[in-house]
Amino acid sequence: MADYRSGVQMTVVSLRRYPVKSMGGESLASARLDTRGLCGDRWFAVEDEDGHFASGKNTRRFRRRDAVFNYTASTNDTGQVVVACGPRAWKVGDPALDDELSHVMGAPVRVAPEVAIPHQDMGAVSIISTATLDWCAQRWGISSDPRRLRVNILFTSDQPFIEEKWVGSEVRVGGVKLRVVEPVPRCRMIDIDQDDARTEGRWLKPLAAERDMFLAMYADVAATGVIRVGDTLTVG
């Protein structure tokens, strides 16, 4: 297998989980992965009466409801998912939360768990390197905060876009094996304030012009286990 390793040791520097799809997420020191991805990631979504999920775009699966980005979801010590907006907070399952979201979105919605339709988009886990983000910031003069991309795993590298060379390869990190499958297509969501990240510089237009709107990579979970911040990545 070709050697696609970076010239420096590649390590995990950030793990991020999004308990409610399209809402702000939470930073983790460690995460358990099952075949679906980070346990609890995008397990809930804001769903309307027609089964569409709140998002920043309109598609067959999604309805554009930008108000969803004003909320953040996190997991408390008992494993309960809590949604917050400023000083206000609700536990998922509280009817008051569904009432709140229905009011701000102008349509009846509820926070619902995944059932028949997957909440994940095209892959179990998303990954990107620090070098890739640095390249974007320097090339286009923008804030390349990874929270704008909603990626799960950020790792150090000295080679921009090295992750794109890993398609079909297995990446070992901590007690997990990931199989890199395809690049992540981007949409207007990366140019919306979200997850406490401010939109400083438009990202989508230059990304479309020079990178075919792809940034970061999707990976499937080939072997389940635990990943921790500080774990080393090895390829092959």
Side-chain angles (χ1 to χ4, degrees):
M1 180 178 294
D3 187 352
Y4 294 139
R5 290 172 296 181
S6 174
V8 298
Q9 179 174 284
M10 297 180 291
T11 59
V12 175
V13 291
S14 175
L15 292 170
R16 201 151 184 85
R17 178 172 60 193
Y18 297 88
V20 179
K21 188 175 183 64
S22 296
M23 290 187 181
E26 56 188 349
S27 179
L28 304 173
S30 64
R32 178 169 294 279
L33 278 73
D34 57 20
T35 55
R36 186 181 171 278
L38 276 70
C39 293
D41 188 47
R42 278 93 165 177
W43 181 249
F44 293 99
V46 180
E47 185 178 357
D48 67 20
E49 292 180 320
D50 296 319
H52 298 116
F53 304 136
S55 179
K57 57 190 175 183
N58 287 314
T59 70
R60 185 168 56 86
R61 294 174 63 217
F62 302 122
R63 283 297 175 267
R64 178 176 169 179
R65 305 190 193 277
D66 287 356
V68 72
F69 299 114
N70 297 326
Y71 297 82
T72 297
S74 59
T75 309
N76 65 20
D77 292 340
T78 65
Q80 176 75 47
V81 174
V82 177
V83 171
C85 182
R88 299 177 298 160
W90 308 262
K91 292 181 179 180
V92 168
D94 183 347
L97 172 59
D98 295 343
D99 291 343
E100 160 76 10
L101 294 174
S102 297
H103 173 71
V104 299
M105 294 184 186
V109 297
R110 65 189 184 103
V111 178
E114 183 174 287
V115 185
I117 302 175
H119 291 170
Q120 303 284 28
D121 290 338
M122 299 163 59
V125 177
S126 56
I127 65 173
I128 198 168
S129 73
T130 54
T132 298
L133 295 175
D134 290 344
W135 185 95
C136 292
Q138 294 166 13
R139 174 83 171 178
W140 298 321
I142 62 167
S143 166
S144 58
D145 191 317
R147 291 174 297 178
R148 293 177 67 177
L149 303 176
R150 306 178 68 82
V151 292
N152 296 122
I153 301 172
L154 174 65
F155 66 94
T156 58
S157 171
D158 60 352
Q159 297 181 32
F161 309 108
I162 190 172
E163 57 272 24
E164 295 181 359
K165 301 177 181 178
W166 298 343
V167 173
S169 298
E170 285 192 351
V171 177
R172 296 172 181 264
V173 50
V176 172
K177 287 183 184 179
L178 302 175
R179 184 175 296 107
V180 180
V181 290
E182 61 184 332
V184 180
R186 296 298 171 180
C187 66
R188 65 178 291 270
M189 287 178 63
I190 65 174
D191 285 337
I192 297 174
D193 291 344
Q194 59 181 295
D195 203 14
D196 293 327
R198 304 295 296 179
T199 301
E200 298 177 7
R202 296 294 175 179
W203 206 337
L204 189 61
K205 186 175 180 178
L207 189 64
E210 298 188 40
R211 301 285 307 163
D212 293 327
M213 295 181 68
F214 291 110
L215 194 61
M217 298 297 292
Y218 279 127
D220 290 334
V221 181
T224 63
V226 175
I227 291 178
R228 296 177 173 84
V229 172
D231 282 344
T232 300
L233 280 79
T234 57
V235 182

